Amino acid sequence: MDKASMTSGAMRILILGGTGEASALGRALAGRADRAVMLSLAGRTAAPKAEPVPTRIGGFGGVTGLAAYLRAERIDRLIDATHPFAATISGNAARAADLAGVPLLAIRRPAWTAVPGDLWTEVDGMDAAVAALGPDPRRVFLTIGRQEAGAFAAAPQHAYLARTVEPLGDALPVPHLMTIEARGPFDAAAEAALMREAGIEILVSKNSGGAATYGKIAAARSLAIPVIMVRRPEKPGVPSVPDAAGALRWLDAGDHAAPVTLRDV
């Protein structure tokens, strides 16, 4: 952690980020003399947005590496504000917090739930999503990110429109592929226009929750387009709040925040 940014006696906070909630919490804490914040990003995005707090890029080396970092930097509070599908780092955070004796809080934004008019097929994992597309060729809007796109190479009969933050490159080797590089938020009306123009017949989405990418779900509903919705992976049962405001209240509770134990993990 940048020692020059420290204030004597300040609470030292490590935020595991990469989400809007992490950025919002960083903005809320920036400039506070009683809080010394480090935001950690995994490094999967080549050009992450600038943040108003010190930022580190890259992994820690698993559970033991993160626990060592927490001890070496004398971290007082750990916030897991990673993506709902970042199950590995959330598991590592819970175990590292236990090893280092550091209070841990997770920000877990609520999942989307189907409403009248939604045509969802909910599945567990990308292989199940591929299977749910069926054998007949379809025009598929793929919005699951670059990391998992390769699973759909097993179904090359479909025509894919894949939207990712980072360039897709050769991650999805299929004969019929169009790509879009864009970062949310996405407006529902614009999403509907995109789906109509591309002749989309089915949408594949992770259940990420939140408002930033909900536009595609609302658009699919308005166009009666079916959605293959990938359920979230299981995460450790640690104390959690739904948003940055809840995390800020937890941090301001100070010594009342209890450390995570293996019973919670």
Side-chain angles (χ1 to χ4, degrees):
M1 192 171 282
D2 180 6
K3 303 301 191 297
S5 67
M6 292 293 184
T7 300
S8 178
M11 177 187 288
R12 296 171 181 251
I13 302 163
L14 175 63
I15 303 172
L16 305 178
T19 60
E21 290 85 358
S23 295
L25 183 58
R27 289 192 300 271
L29 294 170
R32 284 184 53 168
D34 61 341
R35 300 288 184 262
V37 180
M38 177 62 73
L39 174 64
S40 177
L41 303 176
R44 292 180 177 176
T45 301
K49 295 184 296 182
E51 301 286 355
V53 294
T55 304
R56 71 179 297 280
I57 306 293
F60 293 91
V63 173
T64 56
L66 178 54
Y69 181 93
L70 295 174
R71 293 190 192 100
E73 297 297 336
R74 294 181 288 120
I75 299 298
D76 297 305
R77 299 289 185 272
L78 177 60
I79 305 289
D80 174 11
T82 56
H83 192 274
F85 280 75
T88 298
I89 185 59
S90 291
N92 289 351
R95 289 166 177 80
D98 174 69
L99 288 173
V102 174
L104 166 68
L105 183 77
I107 300 179
R108 304 251 173 96
R109 74 176 77 127
W112 297 320
T113 57
V115 301
D118 283 330
L119 305 172
W120 288 12
T121 298
E122 295 188 80
V123 299
D124 293 313
M126 292 302 154
D127 290 342
V130 174
L133 289 175
D136 296 331
R138 308 171 85 174
R139 298 189 65 83
V140 182
F141 188 17
L142 204 58
T143 64
I144 46 83
R146 186 182 188 280
Q147 298 294 319
E148 292 88 358
F152 292 84
Q157 72 273 26
H158 305 298
Y160 294 98
L161 173 61
R163 183 170 65 200
T164 56
V165 174
E166 294 292 297
L168 189 61
D170 60 358
L172 180 54
V174 292
H176 306 293
L177 174 66
M178 294 180 60
T179 62
I180 300 173
E181 294 169 31
R183 187 194 302 269
F186 300 107
D187 174 78
E191 295 284 71
L194 173 63
M195 292 185 199
R196 281 194 298 265
E197 182 179 353
I200 295 301
E201 297 173 284
I202 190 164
L203 167 68
V204 181
S205 174
K206 295 176 178 177
N207 195 332
S208 299
T213 60
Y214 188 73
K216 63 188 176 185
I217 307 303
R221 183 189 312 127
S222 71
L223 298 173
I225 290 174
V227 177
I228 297 174
M229 185 66 74
V230 182
R231 296 186 185 96
R232 296 178 176 189
E234 291 293 324
K235 286 202 172 188
V238 302
S240 65
V241 293
D243 52 27
L248 189 63
R249 289 191 294 270
W250 182 79
L251 290 169
D252 287 341
D255 293 337
H256 296 293
V260 67
T261 70
L262 284 177
R263 292 189 302 275
D264 302 316
V265 180

